Amino acid sequence: MAVPPAPDHAPGLTSNATTDSPAAAGSRSATLRVVLVGVLVVALLASTGILVWLLAGRRGQAEDVQHEREAVMAQAEQFMLRVNTYGPDLLDDKGQMPKYRDLVEEIITPKFLTSFEGGVTAAEQSVQQAGVGRTAEVFATGVSDIDSDSATALVAGSFTNSYPQGKGDGRVVDDPAPFRVEVTLVKSDGKWLVDNFTPVTGAPQ
């Protein structure tokens, strides 16, 4: 007796295995693409933000350095102008120039003050005894070296001496004398102060 072939599925039973339709597979593929695009966008925005932050930091540092350089040059220039500007109009009854002293001492270190006081006496004597006057002009200033608390500046310019002529108010004016000096500065309490200066030999550049 022949036995009929068994059916593919027993009556009342169904298979747990399912086959995805093309529409469902396409939907999941589109969702995956959207997620990947979102991740890439987030990564791009993050990297852009980091780059902007780094560039802003470097730009800020460069601006700080430039600000310090400008402060050093301004102070070195002021020193050369103040130390080379005096005359009979600054003398007091004691034959001294207190305003001249104050202006120079305002921008120099206590260590340099000792040296300055030794030289200012000679200047006061020349003004009192011979009526010498001096004015100065700065042509150029630059910074050759700088760090967080010390700097070196180069200053080029000229000073001009004058003397009384006869008994009147007229004065004889000398030809301008060029100078080129190296000024060393230190930073004290956030302010650049002149600590020394030295003439630079050679022709001015």
Side-chain angles (χ1 to χ4, degrees):
M1 177 179 178
V3 178
D8 292 339
H9 301 289
L13 297 177
T14 58
S15 173
N16 290 330
T18 59
T19 302
D20 291 339
S21 66
S27 176
R28 278 201 299 272
S29 178
T31 301
L32 182 59
R33 285 196 297 270
V34 170
V35 171
L36 288 175
V37 170
V39 172
L40 290 174
V41 170
V42 171
L44 179 60
L45 291 175
S47 62
T48 301
I50 293 173
L51 179 60
V52 170
W53 178 75
L54 289 174
L55 291 176
R58 291 180 179 177
R59 183 166 57 249
Q61 291 176 353
E63 290 175 352
D64 290 343
V65 171
Q66 182 59 27
H67 175 74
E68 293 298 327
R69 291 175 66 89
E70 291 173 355
V72 166
M73 289 188 291
Q75 202 72 310
E77 178 178 346
Q78 276 299 306
F79 170 73
M80 293 307 300
L81 290 174
R82 294 185 188 192
V83 81
N84 287 299
T85 302
Y86 55 82
D89 58 318
L90 295 178
L91 287 175
D92 63 8
D93 296 338
K94 299 179 181 179
Q96 297 180 338
M97 299 185 293
K99 183 177 180 180
Y100 170 75
R101 289 173 178 258
D102 291 342
L103 287 173
V104 176
E105 291 173 6
E106 186 178 64
I107 57 174
I108 64 177
T109 63
K111 185 183 76 173
F112 188 38
L113 177 61
T114 303
S115 176
F116 169 70
E117 288 178 339
V120 72
T121 302
E124 289 171 339
Q125 289 176 351
S126 69
V127 174
Q128 183 183 27
Q129 297 171 8
V132 174
R134 175 176 290 187
T135 58
E137 183 179 4
V138 170
F139 305 142
T141 308
V143 176
S144 61
D145 186 46
I146 186 171
D147 57 31
S148 60
D149 58 2
S150 64
T152 302
L154 297 175
V155 185
S158 70
F159 62 82
T160 304
N161 290 334
S162 64
Y163 311 89
Q165 184 178 34
K167 297 182 179 180
D169 295 332
R171 298 182 67 83
V172 177
V173 180
D174 283 347
D175 292 333
F179 65 77
R180 187 168 181 262
V181 299
E182 183 179 83
V183 182
T184 56
L185 304 94
V186 296
K187 197 171 187 180
S188 177
D189 295 330
K191 183 179 180 180
W192 288 102
L193 300 175
V194 175
D195 195 48
N196 200 3
F197 76 103
T198 307
V200 178
T201 58
Q205 297 180 359

